């Protein structure tokens, strides 16, 4: 089936906003700016190392999804009014008005905590690795989501799924080794290992979030924009009232001996237009990426989502290389001639593993990989469910539907 112009634009929008998300977040970490003077009055330039503050910015971006939810609901009401007016003129039976669930739901607090922890761990890990490595390592979520869904959701994993997860694991090892070897010396190797461990840990939390959302939220027919928007609202409140104040008073290496000084982050943003632009790009890319992710999920298939994520990883890497060699060596990343080939090989394994996991590669010509009848039934059952969900999205847009939450990489 040929893609329409609108579908192509949605895919491009998701690709671009997702890439801006990663690049702008890493660019913030590369900024060196004067910040909060502190109690001793010194105001020296220092790096923008504020991963928890970046999580706070992310939640603000997710809050904007509530505006999209209100627009969708308003459109549904307007459509109902037009149809009601038409049926009244032709003498038809009156139509039931669309029913909308209450926006504020306490149940969203559970996945919000997972989102907060996972995003913050990934943000800390990004301080120690390149943006391309960070983006590739986030592909490990396939492994953790697959295992957790089998354990807690009793989902059937066939041979292709296990082969895909094993291939992804090989890719992760290669990407991780390239980062550690490139950073060896001056204690950078141990920091790279710490960053990799934090990123992988964040993906365990994110996979748990997906399982929790499917368990508690999917059968309740919440709109994805409501899920993301309310998680952003709860996250913003938690960060503002509890997490950021706690980080300020915990002893650490930042200004005033804080573990993370958010006042310093605000002062740094005020002292650098470039840093402020990066933060705003990050904020708005979060909101628009969620919108495009929802639109692509509704209009296309999981295959397209997989291809977009693969292209996003390539785009992040290419843009970072271009920025480093063409514009400013303080931003982006260089290509390591000694160990860069390991990263390329790791990326290839990650893409092959992802394709295997999503049934994009046919290995039925290999005897040991030929799916049994039971496995084929499981695959067909999953495809039937996805097709039914997609069909119901198109045929009945006036009812709150069971839809997949967009997979947000932040």
């Amino acid at each position: 089936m040929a893609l329409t112009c609108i579908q192509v634009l949605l895919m491009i929008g998701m690709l671009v906003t997702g890439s801006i998300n990663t690049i702008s977040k890493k660019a913030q970490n590369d900024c060196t700016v004067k910040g909060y003077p502190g109690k001793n009055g010194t105001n020296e330039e220092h790096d923008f190392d504020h991963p928890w503050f970046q999580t706070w910015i992310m939640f603000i971006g997710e809050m904007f999804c509530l505006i999209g939810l209100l627009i969708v609901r308003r459109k549904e009401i307007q459509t109902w009014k037009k149809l009601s007016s038409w049926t009244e003129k032709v003498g038809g039976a009156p139509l039931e008005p669309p029913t909308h669930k209450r926006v504020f739901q306490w149940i969203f607090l559970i996945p919000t905590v997972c989102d907060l922890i996972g995003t913050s761990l990934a943000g800390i890990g990004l301080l120690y690795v390149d943006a391309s490595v960070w983006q590739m390592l986030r592909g490990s979520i396939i492994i953790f989501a697959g295992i957790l869904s089998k354990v807690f959701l009793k989902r059937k994993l066939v041979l292709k799924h296990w082969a895909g997860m094993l291939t992804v694991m090989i890719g992760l090892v290669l990407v991780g080794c390239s980062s550690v070897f490139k950073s060896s010396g001056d204690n950078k190797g141990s920091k790279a290992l710490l960053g990799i461990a934090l990123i992988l840990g964040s993906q365990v939390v994110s996979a748990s979030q997906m399982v929790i959302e499917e368990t508690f939220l999917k059968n309740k027919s919440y709109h994805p924009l409501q899920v993301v928007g309310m998680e952003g609202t709860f996250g913003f409140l938690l960060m503002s009232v509890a997490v950021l104040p706690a980080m300020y008073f915990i002893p650490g290496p930042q200004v005033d001996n804080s573990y993370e000084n958010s006042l310093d982050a605000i002062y740094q943003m005020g002292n650098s237009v470039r840093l402020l632009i990066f933060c705003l790009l990050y904020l708005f890319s979060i909101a628009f990426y969620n919108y495009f992710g929802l639109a692509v999920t509704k209009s296309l298939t999981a295959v397209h989502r997989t291809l977009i994520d693969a292209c996003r990883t390539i785009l992040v890497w290419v843009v970072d290389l271009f920025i480093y060699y063409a514009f400013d060596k303080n931003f982006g990343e260089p290509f390591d001639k000694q160990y860069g080939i390991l990263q390329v090989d790791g990326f290839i394994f990650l893409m092959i593993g992802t394709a295997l996991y999503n049934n994009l590669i046919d290995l039925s010509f290999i005897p040991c990989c030929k799916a049994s009848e039971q496995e084929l039934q499981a695959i067909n059952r999953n495809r039937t469910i996805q097709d039914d969900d997609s069909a119901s999205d198109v045929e009945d847009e006036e009812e709150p539907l069971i839809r997949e939450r967009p997979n947000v990489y932040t």
Side-chain angles (χ1 to χ4, degrees), residues 104-112 212 216-217 220 222 234:
F104 186 90
Q105 302 280 352
W106 284 106
I107 195 173
F108 295 123
L109 189 60
I110 301 174
T112 298
I212 290 172
F216 293 103
L217 302 180
K220 296 182 181 295
Y222 292 119
F234 278 124

Side-chain angles (χ1 to χ4, degrees), residues 128-130 132-134 136-137 170-184 188-189 192-193 196 317 333-347 350:
Y128 305 119
V129 300
D130 293 327
S132 61
V133 173
W134 184 79
M136 292 180 192
L137 290 176
I170 295 173
L172 292 174
V173 171
L174 291 173
V175 172
C177 287
S178 71
S179 181
V180 173
F181 295 158
K182 183 172 64 175
S183 304
S184 60
K188 290 183 179 180
L193 278 173
I196 292 169
W317 198 1
E333 62 180 271
F335 182 80
D336 189 86
K337 297 179 181 179
Q338 188 173 6
Y339 300 111
I341 190 64
L342 286 177
Q343 189 172 345
V344 175
D345 293 340
F347 171 76
L350 286 170

Side-chain angles (χ1 to χ4, degrees), residues 28-29 31 46-51 127 254 259-260 268:
Q28 295 171 38
N29 298 337
C31 288
H46 52 277
D47 293 337
F48 186 84
D49 295 341
H50 300 284
L127 295 174
Q254 295 193 9
Y259 180 77
E260 179 161 332
Q268 285 186 294

Side-chain angles (χ1 to χ4, degrees), residues 165-387:
M165 289 191 287
L166 178 61
T167 307
V168 167
M169 189 177 298
I170 295 173
L172 292 174
V173 171
L174 291 173
V175 172
C177 287
S178 71
S179 181
V180 173
F181 295 158
K182 183 172 64 175
S183 304
S184 60
D186 297 333
N187 203 32
K188 290 183 179 180
S190 59
K191 288 185 177 180
L193 278 173
L194 175 61
I196 292 169
L198 289 171
I199 295 168
L200 295 179
S202 74
Q203 297 313 289
V204 175
V205 179
S206 297
S208 302
Q209 178 186 350
M210 291 182 179
V211 173
I212 290 172
E213 286 177 344
E214 183 164 352
T215 302
F216 293 103
L217 302 180
K218 188 172 183 179
N219 293 332
K220 296 182 181 295
S221 304
Y222 292 119
H223 196 286
L225 286 175
Q226 182 181 3
V227 175
V228 178
M230 282 309 304
E231 286 181 9
T233 303
F234 278 124
F236 172 78
L237 294 175
L238 283 174
M239 295 294 296
S240 302
V241 175
V243 178
L244 291 182
M247 294 297 168
Y248 178 84
F249 289 106
I250 294 175
Q254 295 193 9
V255 180
D256 289 343
N257 297 320
S258 296
Y259 180 77
E260 179 161 332
N261 192 321
S262 297
L263 289 176
D264 180 55
I266 295 173
Y267 269 78
Q268 285 186 294
M269 290 168 59
N271 291 333
S272 172
V273 176
R274 176 185 288 182
L275 176 59
L276 179 61
I277 291 174
F278 289 149
C279 292
L280 291 176
L281 280 174
Y282 179 60
L283 189 153
F284 287 109
S285 67
I286 291 289
F288 282 101
Y289 181 71
N290 277 282
Y291 166 75
F292 286 120
L294 168 63
V296 169
T297 300
K298 180 179 178 180
S299 179
L300 299 170
T301 65
V303 174
H304 296 89
R305 291 294 301 273
T306 302
L307 295 175
I308 293 172
D309 281 334
C311 294
R312 177 185 172 187
T313 304
I314 298 173
L315 185 60
V316 168
W317 198 1
V318 170
V319 170
D320 265 356
L321 292 173
F322 180 74
I323 291 173
Y324 181 84
Y325 289 107
F327 289 99
D328 192 341
K329 295 189 182 299
N330 293 320
F331 297 91
E333 62 180 271
F335 182 80
D336 189 86
K337 297 179 181 179
Q338 188 173 6
Y339 300 111
I341 190 64
L342 286 177
Q343 189 172 345
V344 175
D345 293 340
F347 171 76
I348 293 173
F349 273 96
L350 286 170
M351 292 303 100
I352 293 174
T354 303
L356 282 171
Y357 188 88
N358 289 282
N359 298 311
L360 302 183
I361 299 179
D362 184 13
L363 298 179
S364 59
F365 61 91
I366 302 177
C368 64
C369 294
K370 190 173 183 179
S372 64
E373 188 170 339
Q374 184 179 5
E375 291 176 339
L376 288 173
Q377 289 176 355
I379 294 174
N380 291 331
R381 193 183 310 115
N382 290 334
R383 286 178 176 173
T384 302
I385 294 173
Q386 291 178 356
D387 292 341

Side-chain angles (χ1 to χ4, degrees), residues 80-127:
W80 169 74
K81 288 181 178 179
K82 291 179 181 179
L83 291 175
S84 297
S85 176
W86 180 79
T87 54
E88 185 178 349
K89 289 180 180 179
V90 298
L95 298 176
E96 291 291 330
T99 56
H100 295 142
K101 292 182 178 291
R102 182 167 53 91
V103 175
F104 186 90
Q105 302 280 352
W106 284 106
I107 195 173
F108 295 123
L109 189 60
I110 301 174
T112 298
V113 175
C114 293
D115 200 3
L116 190 158
I117 297 173
T119 303
S120 299
L121 289 177
I124 298 172
L126 184 58
L127 295 174

